[in-house]
Structures are given as structure tokens and as C-alpha cells.
PDB file of all heavy atoms in Angstrom:
ATOM      1  N   ALA A   1      14.095 -20.253  19.027  1.00  0.00           N
ATOM      2  CA  ALA A   1      13.257 -19.099  19.365  1.00  0.00           C
ATOM      3  C   ALA A   1      11.878 -19.301  18.760  1.00  0.00           C
ATOM      4  O   ALA A   1      11.734 -19.883  17.680  1.00  0.00           O
ATOM      5  CB  ALA A   1      13.877 -17.810  18.840  1.00  0.00           C
ATOM      6  N   THR A   2      10.860 -18.825  19.472  1.00  0.00           N
ATOM      7  CA  THR A   2       9.481 -18.890  18.991  1.00  0.00           C
ATOM      8  C   THR A   2       8.945 -17.473  18.883  1.00  0.00           C
ATOM      9  O   THR A   2       9.047 -16.698  19.828  1.00  0.00           O
ATOM     10  CB  THR A   2       8.600 -19.728  19.935  1.00  0.00           C
ATOM     11  OG1 THR A   2       9.164 -21.035  20.039  1.00  0.00           O
ATOM     12  CG2 THR A   2       7.179 -19.823  19.420  1.00  0.00           C
ATOM     13  N   LEU A   3       8.386 -17.158  17.728  1.00  0.00           N
ATOM     14  CA  LEU A   3       7.829 -15.835  17.469  1.00  0.00           C
ATOM     15  C   LEU A   3       6.347 -15.971  17.180  1.00  0.00           C
ATOM     16  O   LEU A   3       5.932 -16.876  16.461  1.00  0.00           O
ATOM     17  CB  LEU A   3       8.502 -15.193  16.256  1.00  0.00           C
ATOM     18  CG  LEU A   3       9.941 -14.739  16.443  1.00  0.00           C
ATOM     19  CD1 LEU A   3      10.890 -15.906  16.515  1.00  0.00           C
ATOM     20  CD2 LEU A   3      10.330 -13.823  15.321  1.00  0.00           C
ATOM     21  N   GLU A   4       5.563 -15.065  17.734  1.00  0.00           N
ATOM     22  CA  GLU A   4       4.114 -15.053  17.509  1.00  0.00           C
ATOM     23  C   GLU A   4       3.746 -13.891  16.591  1.00  0.00           C
ATOM     24  O   GLU A   4       4.165 -12.752  16.814  1.00  0.00           O
ATOM     25  CB  GLU A   4       3.361 -14.913  18.826  1.00  0.00           C
ATOM     26  CG  GLU A   4       3.506 -16.107  19.739  1.00  0.00           C
ATOM     27  CD  GLU A   4       2.971 -17.406  19.166  1.00  0.00           C
ATOM     28  OE1 GLU A   4       1.952 -17.376  18.439  1.00  0.00           O
ATOM     29  OE2 GLU A   4       3.582 -18.448  19.431  1.00  0.00           O
ATOM     30  N   PHE A   5       2.953 -14.214  15.567  1.00  0.00           N
ATOM     31  CA  PHE A   5       2.416 -13.236  14.631  1.00  0.00           C
ATOM     32  C   PHE A   5       0.904 -13.363  14.627  1.00  0.00           C
ATOM     33  O   PHE A   5       0.350 -14.410  14.972  1.00  0.00           O
ATOM     34  CB  PHE A   5       2.951 -13.493  13.213  1.00  0.00           C
ATOM     35  CG  PHE A   5       4.413 -13.219  13.056  1.00  0.00           C
ATOM     36  CD1 PHE A   5       5.359 -14.177  13.389  1.00  0.00           C
ATOM     37  CD2 PHE A   5       4.851 -12.000  12.571  1.00  0.00           C
ATOM     38  CE1 PHE A   5       6.701 -13.936  13.246  1.00  0.00           C
ATOM     39  CE2 PHE A   5       6.209 -11.745  12.421  1.00  0.00           C
ATOM     40  CZ  PHE A   5       7.135 -12.717  12.761  1.00  0.00           C
ATOM     41  N   GLN A   6       0.219 -12.313  14.221  1.00  0.00           N
ATOM     42  CA  GLN A   6      -1.238 -12.337  14.070  1.00  0.00           C
ATOM     43  C   GLN A   6      -1.546 -11.972  12.625  1.00  0.00           C
ATOM     44  O   GLN A   6      -1.170 -10.886  12.160  1.00  0.00           O
ATOM     45  CB  GLN A   6      -1.885 -11.323  15.007  1.00  0.00           C
ATOM     46  CG  GLN A   6      -3.397 -11.294  14.960  1.00  0.00           C
ATOM     47  CD  GLN A   6      -4.001 -12.497  15.664  1.00  0.00           C
ATOM     48  OE1 GLN A   6      -3.540 -12.873  16.724  1.00  0.00           O
ATOM     49  NE2 GLN A   6      -5.014 -13.085  15.078  1.00  0.00           N
ATOM     50  N   TRP A   7      -2.192 -12.881  11.903  1.00  0.00           N
ATOM     51  CA  TRP A   7      -2.623 -12.602  10.536  1.00  0.00           C
ATOM     52  C   TRP A   7      -4.089 -12.240  10.576  1.00  0.00           C
ATOM     53  O   TRP A   7      -4.899 -12.930  11.199  1.00  0.00           O
ATOM     54  CB  TRP A   7      -2.399 -13.821   9.647  1.00  0.00           C
ATOM     55  CG  TRP A   7      -2.894 -13.602   8.242  1.00  0.00           C
ATOM     56  CD1 TRP A   7      -2.258 -12.941   7.243  1.00  0.00           C
ATOM     57  CD2 TRP A   7      -4.143 -14.029   7.705  1.00  0.00           C
ATOM     58  NE1 TRP A   7      -3.034 -12.936   6.111  1.00  0.00           N
ATOM     59  CE2 TRP A   7      -4.205 -13.597   6.379  1.00  0.00           C
ATOM     60  CE3 TRP A   7      -5.223 -14.733   8.235  1.00  0.00           C
ATOM     61  CZ2 TRP A   7      -5.288 -13.843   5.555  1.00  0.00           C
ATOM     62  CZ3 TRP A   7      -6.313 -14.988   7.418  1.00  0.00           C
ATOM     63  CH2 TRP A   7      -6.333 -14.543   6.090  1.00  0.00           C
ATOM     64  N   THR A   8      -4.447 -11.132   9.935  1.00  0.00           N
ATOM     65  CA  THR A   8      -5.836 -10.688   9.858  1.00  0.00           C
ATOM     66  C   THR A   8      -6.231 -10.643   8.389  1.00  0.00           C
ATOM     67  O   THR A   8      -5.634  -9.901   7.598  1.00  0.00           O
ATOM     68  CB  THR A   8      -6.027  -9.306  10.501  1.00  0.00           C
ATOM     69  OG1 THR A   8      -5.561  -9.349  11.843  1.00  0.00           O
ATOM     70  CG2 THR A   8      -7.483  -8.878  10.470  1.00  0.00           C
ATOM     71  N   GLY A   9      -7.226 -11.438   8.029  1.00  0.00           N
ATOM     72  CA  GLY A   9      -7.698 -11.465   6.653  1.00  0.00           C
ATOM     73  C   GLY A   9      -8.421 -10.183   6.289  1.00  0.00           C
ATOM     74  O   GLY A   9      -8.823  -9.401   7.161  1.00  0.00           O
ATOM     75  N   SER A  10      -8.616  -9.963   5.013  1.00  0.00           N
ATOM     76  CA  SER A  10      -9.320  -8.753   4.566  1.00  0.00           C
ATOM     77  C   SER A  10     -10.763  -8.742   5.050  1.00  0.00           C
ATOM     78  O   SER A  10     -11.387  -7.682   5.119  1.00  0.00           O
ATOM     79  CB  SER A  10      -9.257  -8.630   3.043  1.00  0.00           C
ATOM     80  OG  SER A  10      -9.807  -9.782   2.443  1.00  0.00           O
ATOM     81  N   ASP A  11     -11.292  -9.917   5.443  1.00  0.00           N
ATOM     82  CA  ASP A  11     -12.648 -10.002   5.983  1.00  0.00           C
ATOM     83  C   ASP A  11     -12.685  -9.835   7.506  1.00  0.00           C
ATOM     84  O   ASP A  11     -13.736  -9.940   8.126  1.00  0.00           O
ATOM     85  CB  ASP A  11     -13.290 -11.340   5.598  1.00  0.00           C
ATOM     86  CG  ASP A  11     -12.560 -12.539   6.196  1.00  0.00           C
ATOM     87  OD1 ASP A  11     -11.495 -12.365   6.838  1.00  0.00           O
ATOM     88  OD2 ASP A  11     -13.056 -13.665   6.012  1.00  0.00           O
ATOM     89  N   GLY A  12     -11.510  -9.626   8.126  1.00  0.00           N
ATOM     90  CA  GLY A  12     -11.439  -9.428   9.577  1.00  0.00           C
ATOM     91  C   GLY A  12     -11.141 -10.692  10.361  1.00  0.00           C
ATOM     92  O   GLY A  12     -10.923 -10.634  11.568  1.00  0.00           O
ATOM     93  N   SER A  13     -11.153 -11.853   9.704  1.00  0.00           N
ATOM     94  CA  SER A  13     -10.827 -13.098  10.411  1.00  0.00           C
ATOM     95  C   SER A  13      -9.372 -13.062  10.863  1.00  0.00           C
ATOM     96  O   SER A  13      -8.522 -12.477  10.193  1.00  0.00           O
ATOM     97  CB  SER A  13     -11.068 -14.303   9.502  1.00  0.00           C
ATOM     98  OG  SER A  13     -10.229 -14.235   8.364  1.00  0.00           O
ATOM     99  N   GLN A  14      -9.087 -13.678  12.024  1.00  0.00           N
ATOM    100  CA  GLN A  14      -7.736 -13.646  12.570  1.00  0.00           C
ATOM    101  C   GLN A  14      -7.206 -15.048  12.806  1.00  0.00           C
ATOM    102  O   GLN A  14      -7.953 -15.947  13.202  1.00  0.00           O
ATOM    103  CB  GLN A  14      -7.708 -12.868  13.884  1.00  0.00           C
ATOM    104  CG  GLN A  14      -8.034 -11.405  13.693  1.00  0.00           C
ATOM    105  CD  GLN A  14      -7.831 -10.610  14.964  1.00  0.00           C
ATOM    106  OE1 GLN A  14      -7.897 -11.134  16.068  1.00  0.00           O
ATOM    107  NE2 GLN A  14      -7.591  -9.324  14.811  1.00  0.00           N
ATOM    108  N   THR A  15      -5.909 -15.213  12.567  1.00  0.00           N
ATOM    109  CA  THR A  15      -5.228 -16.483  12.782  1.00  0.00           C
ATOM    110  C   THR A  15      -3.887 -16.206  13.442  1.00  0.00           C
ATOM    111  O   THR A  15      -3.151 -15.323  12.993  1.00  0.00           O
ATOM    112  CB  THR A  15      -4.983 -17.223  11.438  1.00  0.00           C
ATOM    113  OG1 THR A  15      -6.233 -17.421  10.795  1.00  0.00           O
ATOM    114  CG2 THR A  15      -4.285 -18.543  11.643  1.00  0.00           C
ATOM    115  N   SER A  16      -3.583 -16.958  14.506  1.00  0.00           N
ATOM    116  CA  SER A  16      -2.259 -16.864  15.129  1.00  0.00           C
ATOM    117  C   SER A  16      -1.280 -17.673  14.297  1.00  0.00           C
ATOM    118  O   SER A  16      -1.583 -18.781  13.865  1.00  0.00           O
ATOM    119  CB  SER A  16      -2.290 -17.419  16.551  1.00  0.00           C
ATOM    120  OG  SER A  16      -3.066 -16.587  17.362  1.00  0.00           O
ATOM    121  N   VAL A  17      -0.111 -17.101  14.077  1.00  0.00           N
ATOM    122  CA  VAL A  17       0.942 -17.761  13.318  1.00  0.00           C
ATOM    123  C   VAL A  17       2.169 -17.821  14.215  1.00  0.00           C
ATOM    124  O   VAL A  17       2.723 -16.780  14.576  1.00  0.00           O
ATOM    125  CB  VAL A  17       1.267 -16.999  12.010  1.00  0.00           C
ATOM    126  CG1 VAL A  17       2.406 -17.667  11.263  1.00  0.00           C
ATOM    127  CG2 VAL A  17       0.036 -16.885  11.129  1.00  0.00           C
ATOM    128  N   SER A  18       2.563 -19.025  14.602  1.00  0.00           N
ATOM    129  CA  SER A  18       3.715 -19.231  15.469  1.00  0.00           C
ATOM    130  C   SER A  18       4.849 -19.807  14.638  1.00  0.00           C
ATOM    131  O   SER A  18       4.696 -20.868  14.035  1.00  0.00           O
ATOM    132  CB  SER A  18       3.332 -20.188  16.604  1.00  0.00           C
ATOM    133  OG  SER A  18       4.428 -20.411  17.443  1.00  0.00           O
ATOM    134  N   LEU A  19       5.979 -19.092  14.584  1.00  0.00           N
ATOM    135  CA  LEU A  19       7.140 -19.556  13.829  1.00  0.00           C
ATOM    136  C   LEU A  19       8.250 -19.888  14.812  1.00  0.00           C
ATOM    137  O   LEU A  19       8.468 -19.152  15.782  1.00  0.00           O
ATOM    138  CB  LEU A  19       7.610 -18.483  12.843  1.00  0.00           C
ATOM    139  CG  LEU A  19       6.589 -18.019  11.811  1.00  0.00           C
ATOM    140  CD1 LEU A  19       7.161 -16.911  10.946  1.00  0.00           C
ATOM    141  CD2 LEU A  19       6.119 -19.175  10.952  1.00  0.00           C
ATOM    142  N   ASN A  20       8.944 -20.998  14.564  1.00  0.00           N
ATOM    143  CA  ASN A  20      10.015 -21.420  15.447  1.00  0.00           C
ATOM    144  C   ASN A  20      11.267 -21.696  14.630  1.00  0.00           C
ATOM    145  O   ASN A  20      11.206 -22.354  13.598  1.00  0.00           O
ATOM    146  CB  ASN A  20       9.612 -22.687  16.211  1.00  0.00           C
ATOM    147  CG  ASN A  20      10.722 -23.176  17.118  1.00  0.00           C
ATOM    148  OD1 ASN A  20      11.640 -23.844  16.676  1.00  0.00           O
ATOM    149  ND2 ASN A  20      10.628 -22.827  18.386  1.00  0.00           N
ATOM    150  N   THR A  21      12.363 -21.187  15.127  1.00  0.00           N
ATOM    151  CA  THR A  21      13.637 -21.474  14.500  1.00  0.00           C
ATOM    152  C   THR A  21      14.432 -22.388  15.414  1.00  0.00           C
ATOM    153  O   THR A  21      14.523 -22.104  16.601  1.00  0.00           O
ATOM    154  CB  THR A  21      14.434 -20.200  14.180  1.00  0.00           C
ATOM    155  OG1 THR A  21      15.680 -20.574  13.609  1.00  0.00           O
ATOM    156  CG2 THR A  21      14.686 -19.322  15.353  1.00  0.00           C
ATOM    157  N   PRO A  22      14.894 -23.489  14.976  1.00  0.00           N
ATOM    158  CA  PRO A  22      14.907 -24.004  13.609  1.00  0.00           C
ATOM    159  C   PRO A  22      13.795 -25.004  13.309  1.00  0.00           C
ATOM    160  O   PRO A  22      13.676 -25.461  12.171  1.00  0.00           O
ATOM    161  CB  PRO A  22      16.258 -24.709  13.532  1.00  0.00           C
ATOM    162  CG  PRO A  22      16.448 -25.278  14.895  1.00  0.00           C
ATOM    163  CD  PRO A  22      15.821 -24.253  15.832  1.00  0.00           C
ATOM    164  N   ALA A  23      12.977 -25.377  14.282  1.00  0.00           N
ATOM    165  CA  ALA A  23      12.021 -26.488  14.133  1.00  0.00           C
ATOM    166  C   ALA A  23      10.926 -26.248  13.101  1.00  0.00           C
ATOM    167  O   ALA A  23      10.618 -27.136  12.305  1.00  0.00           O
ATOM    168  CB  ALA A  23      11.385 -26.819  15.484  1.00  0.00           C
ATOM    169  N   GLU A  24      10.275 -25.112  13.122  1.00  0.00           N
ATOM    170  CA  GLU A  24       9.145 -24.859  12.232  1.00  0.00           C
ATOM    171  C   GLU A  24       9.179 -23.404  11.756  1.00  0.00           C
ATOM    172  O   GLU A  24       8.400 -22.572  12.199  1.00  0.00           O
ATOM    173  CB  GLU A  24       7.835 -25.150  12.974  1.00  0.00           C
ATOM    174  CG  GLU A  24       6.667 -25.327  12.079  1.00  0.00           C
ATOM    175  CD  GLU A  24       5.442 -25.854  12.821  1.00  0.00           C
ATOM    176  OE1 GLU A  24       5.416 -25.874  14.065  1.00  0.00           O
ATOM    177  OE2 GLU A  24       4.487 -26.214  12.133  1.00  0.00           O
ATOM    178  N   PRO A  25      10.105 -23.103  10.817  1.00  0.00           N
ATOM    179  CA  PRO A  25      10.277 -21.708  10.401  1.00  0.00           C
ATOM    180  C   PRO A  25       9.218 -21.183   9.447  1.00  0.00           C
ATOM    181  O   PRO A  25       9.199 -19.988   9.156  1.00  0.00           O
ATOM    182  CB  PRO A  25      11.651 -21.704   9.733  1.00  0.00           C
ATOM    183  CG  PRO A  25      11.804 -23.096   9.211  1.00  0.00           C
ATOM    184  CD  PRO A  25      11.085 -23.981  10.204  1.00  0.00           C
ATOM    185  N   SER A  26       8.313 -22.040   8.956  1.00  0.00           N
ATOM    186  CA  SER A  26       7.280 -21.531   8.049  1.00  0.00           C
ATOM    187  C   SER A  26       5.924 -22.110   8.399  1.00  0.00           C
ATOM    188  O   SER A  26       5.811 -23.231   8.874  1.00  0.00           O
ATOM    189  CB  SER A  26       7.635 -21.824   6.589  1.00  0.00           C
ATOM    190  OG  SER A  26       7.598 -23.192   6.327  1.00  0.00           O
TER     191      SER A  26
END
């Protein structure tokens, strides 16, 4: 499974975070 997250820094910058189980869980 692949899950998409959005991280937003305190300065407003954004980064997509894609986690995959079991290949790339972190």
C-alpha cells in the first residue's frame, strides 16, 4: 500500500511524503 502525506513546515514550506508498506515505510 502507498500512502500520501503532506508535511508543512512552520515557515509554510510543503513537502510530499509518500510511505509504502513494506518497501519504504519511513
Side-chain angles (χ1 to χ4, degrees):
T2 302
L3 289 72
E4 293 299 325
F5 291 84
Q6 182 74 42
W7 177 81
T8 304
S10 57
D11 63 355
S13 62
Q14 295 187 335
T15 302
S16 292
V17 178
S18 179
L19 301 177
N20 179 278
T21 178
E24 198 170 12
S26 67

